[in-house]
Amino acid sequence: MKAKPLLIKEASVSFGSVEVFRNLSLEISQGEFVAVVGPSGCGKTTLLNLFSGFLKPSLGSVVCSGRVRMVYQHDGLLPWQTAAQNIALGLRDLSSEAERKRQLNEMLRLINLEEFAGHYPHQLSGGMRQRVELARALAGDTDILLLDEPFSSLDYLTGLRLRRELARMLEELPRTVVLVTHDIEEAAQLADRILVLSDRPARICRELRMSLPRPRELTHPQVVETVHAVLAEFGLEQDKVGV
Amino acid sequence: MTEKPFTTGTRLLPLIVLFAAIAVWWALWQLRVFPESVFPSPLAVAKGIGEEIRTGRLGNDLVASLFRVTTGFMLAVLLGVPVGLWLGNHVRSRLALLPAINFFRSLSPLAWIPFAILWFGIGDLPAIFLIFMACFFPIVVATLAAVASIPSVYFRVARDYRFSGLELLTKVTLPAIAPQVITSLRVTAGLAWLVVVAAEMIAGRDGLGFAIWDARNGLRMDLLVAGMIVIGVIGMVIDRLLMRLTKIRSVSWGYEG
């Protein structure tokens, strides 16, 4: 059986009188890419905060074994540091200066921003900034990548391009990934498993598995079918038999 | 904030304004709008500046004033920024002290002049005290406001990448507040330069403020205007120097976009 670096057991979370999770249980396997979709305000980000340890459940337990990095919706880069300095944050734990330098150049090459190494975040486009954030989170010895709507502030085409890049980066640097998104296409294009959350208190109301290798075409029948199935779950399309 | 590239012609515009102002001044003097005894000609003032430079008095006054401003201002920065940092991070102390700070910030520093003289006599100390009182409170308020408005995501990133407590201060808090603090330094340095003139007029025996007061008492209107011109020019130079801080690359993000 595969290792389960991320585990939630019967966790409950409330903010005042707002109950976000009640008895939520979830297991994520080593190297798995899980996407979490659901209506806004249903607790998707709360789920990531549980995994990152930023938040403790009031009941139940959360196990997170491994080094966690999070990519934020936008503006997660430190604006007073250059692209290279931001990525180097991800390499802080490496003791060898030469190795840090080598891996930094490797990451810059991976995101195709070698020429922009000395640029500050405000001098980069939105897409470039998110690429730098991804590189920072993937740099060094980490195990788990938490993505909080990382492409939601980008325009549609840039978002599509970055999905493809993320798939390519994960090919080279495999990680256990949890992606929170409201973009169902994004989930269907990237994830091995899609969890559909219900309204608060959120429970997993549907689980879909994708066997198609990445990168996937947006218009591939299996991707389209998955999008359809999720939309049907939200009552936005007629469900077909046999999905 | 992107600026269009200026042609040499546009750069010369301020000089044209300067010459126009001198021309108007000269015309007013020619027309004797005011009696000559209280309205010096541009030429007399130029001669006055030359005289002050030759006798070495201008140099002495300039050094005296700059010393007071630098000392009072630096004291205000060295104490004001840490106090602002502390108040920005401690809500209870902030709630307790902010009204008092706003009280002193709203109190004109010139209101302290009588006490400054009674406590510190005449010379450097009262001026330094007044400059400190003028700068300290605005710097505290600007720093604490900057600290309180740092986006929380930076601290989450610092946590993700395991910054130590000291690194949180030196690598997150200080760089995050730098742009706003530098802006407040520009404003308060200007304030300090205003205050030193007033302080020296009343509680000084040298300095540019004393020089114009002395010129008035000696009915030397040419020297009075000469002093005013020097004070204005030095104020501009101080602001220009501090503006250079905003061009530091790791700070410029705060002034763009």
Side-chain angles (χ1 to χ4, degrees):
Chain A
M1 206 176 93
K2 265 194 165 178
K4 309 275 187 202
L6 291 174
L7 273 175
I8 295 182
K9 266 189 200 148
E10 294 172 1
S12 297
V13 176
S14 305
F15 298 116
S17 60
V18 180
E19 202 179 10
V20 184
F21 296 130
R22 189 194 299 163
N23 285 331
L24 183 83
S25 292
L26 174 60
E27 289 185 350
I28 294 172
S29 309
Q30 178 88 46
E32 194 179 14
F33 192 135
V34 172
V36 180
V37 298
S40 59
C42 77
K44 299 189 294 282
T45 301
T46 307
L47 191 65
L48 290 187
N49 288 341
L50 281 178
F51 283 137
S52 73
F54 189 73
L55 199 70
K56 300 266 175 274
S58 35
L59 284 172
S61 66
V62 175
V63 177
C64 175
S65 36
R67 284 198 185 173
V68 179
R69 295 272 176 80
M70 185 123 153
V71 173
Y72 300 89
Q73 252 177 58
H74 55 87
D75 294 337
L77 295 176
L78 302 182
W80 50 88
Q81 300 203 330
T82 62
Q85 287 168 332
N86 265 291
I87 296 173
L89 285 181
L91 301 163
R92 274 158 52 90
D93 294 335
L94 298 179
S95 49
S96 143
E97 166 85 42
E99 182 61 15
R100 278 204 298 270
K101 206 162 183 182
R102 192 191 65 75
Q103 290 203 25
L104 174 62
N105 289 330
E106 181 69 10
M107 293 312 294
L108 284 167
R109 186 194 56 74
L110 193 64
I111 56 171
N112 257 320
L113 286 180
E114 287 124 314
E115 285 167 50
F116 294 89
H119 283 57
Y120 284 85
H122 72 273
Q123 299 167 319
L124 301 174
S125 71
M128 289 176 178
R129 283 202 289 270
Q130 288 311 86
R131 265 143 78 194
V132 173
E133 269 219 65
L134 282 176
R136 182 176 73 180
L138 285 167
D141 299 320
T142 62
D143 311 291
I144 297 158
L145 185 62
L146 304 176
L147 305 172
D148 187 3
E149 307 206 9
F151 309 137
S152 64
S153 60
L154 304 176
D155 66 84
Y156 185 70
L157 286 178
T158 310
L160 282 185
R161 234 170 257 135
L162 274 178
R163 284 180 209 168
R164 189 182 289 254
E165 284 204 36
L166 175 62
R168 186 172 54 80
M169 288 162 88
L170 287 171
E171 195 100 326
E172 290 196 37
L173 305 162
R175 300 281 188 270
T176 305
V177 184
V178 183
L179 165 73
V180 152
T181 180
H182 59 249
D183 188 331
I184 298 157
E185 287 180 357
E186 186 176 289
Q189 227 183 335
L190 287 168
D192 302 316
R193 183 155 57 117
I194 300 171
L195 305 175
V196 183
L197 291 189
S198 68
D199 268 323
R200 277 193 310 263
R203 58 194 167 72
I204 296 164
C205 57
R206 180 133 190 199
E207 215 178 298
L208 296 133
R209 285 181 191 278
M210 301 275 294
S211 51
L212 203 64
R214 279 182 295 268
R216 300 166 188 155
E217 301 281 333
L218 185 58
T219 48
H220 188 284
Q222 205 179 326
V223 172
V224 173
E225 210 166 320
T226 305
V227 170
H228 171 77
V230 176
L231 286 174
E233 192 59 46
F234 290 132
L236 293 168
E237 277 188 17
Q238 291 279 309
D239 206 352
K240 287 182 289 191
V241 185
V243 175
Chain B
M1 213 162 56
T2 47
E3 289 176 5
K4 284 177 206 153
F6 290 118
T7 59
T8 331
T10 17
R11 285 184 188 284
L12 286 176
L13 282 176
L15 277 182
I16 295 170
V17 172
L18 175 66
F19 285 121
I22 292 173
V24 171
W25 174 9
W26 182 80
L28 288 173
W29 176 75
Q30 273 291 337
L31 296 167
R32 298 287 185 273
V33 176
F34 297 103
E36 206 183 345
S37 60
V38 296
F39 197 85
S41 72
L43 189 66
V45 169
K47 281 182 180 161
I49 293 177
E51 184 188 322
E52 291 282 89
I53 293 173
R54 263 197 317 281
T55 58
R57 213 183 110 166
L58 181 67
N60 281 340
D61 287 335
L62 195 58
V63 169
S65 294
L66 284 176
F67 167 74
R68 289 161 192 161
V69 164
T70 315
T71 312
F73 179 67
M74 289 311 280
L75 274 175
V77 174
L78 290 177
L79 290 171
V81 171
V83 169
L85 278 172
W86 183 66
L87 292 179
N89 283 317
H90 294 85
V91 181
R92 287 177 71 90
S93 345
R94 182 158 77 231
L95 288 173
L97 290 173
L98 199 54
I101 289 168
N102 274 321
F103 170 80
F104 283 112
R105 191 167 64 118
S106 313
L107 184 61
S108 165
L110 304 184
W112 286 101
I113 287 181
F115 276 123
I117 296 172
L118 290 170
W119 293 343
F120 300 108
I122 299 286
D124 288 338
L125 276 180
I128 291 170
F129 169 74
L130 291 171
I131 291 161
F132 176 83
M133 293 307 274
C135 299
F136 175 75
F137 299 103
I139 290 175
V140 170
V141 171
T143 308
L144 83 84
V147 171
S149 66
I150 301 175
S152 60
V153 68
Y154 299 153
F155 292 107
R156 295 199 56 180
V157 168
R159 190 179 168 279
D160 289 351
Y161 295 90
R162 300 179 191 189
F163 280 39
S164 67
L166 184 66
E167 280 179 316
L168 271 185
L169 177 68
T170 58
K171 294 194 172 168
V172 180
T173 304
L174 290 180
I177 64 171
Q180 268 172 277
V181 170
I182 288 171
T183 301
S184 95
L185 294 189
R186 279 181 67 192
V187 174
T188 46
L191 210 53
W193 193 242
L194 296 181
V195 168
V196 76
V197 173
E200 287 167 346
M201 285 172 85
I202 298 172
R205 261 198 279 274
D206 54 6
L208 293 167
F210 176 78
I212 59 173
W213 195 244
D214 197 40
R216 177 224 169 258
N217 287 337
L219 297 175
R220 286 291 304 272
M221 296 306 133
D222 53 339
L223 296 187
L224 197 158
V225 177
M228 288 169 70
I229 289 172
V230 173
I231 289 168
V233 169
I234 299 296
M236 285 171 71
V237 170
I238 291 175
D239 190 58
R240 272 297 168 94
L241 287 177
L242 283 170
M243 204 170 85
R244 296 207 154 197
L245 289 177
T246 66
K247 307 288 181 205
I248 298 171
R249 287 195 72 212
S250 61
V251 165
S252 61
W253 61 274
Y255 306 103
E256 287 171 37

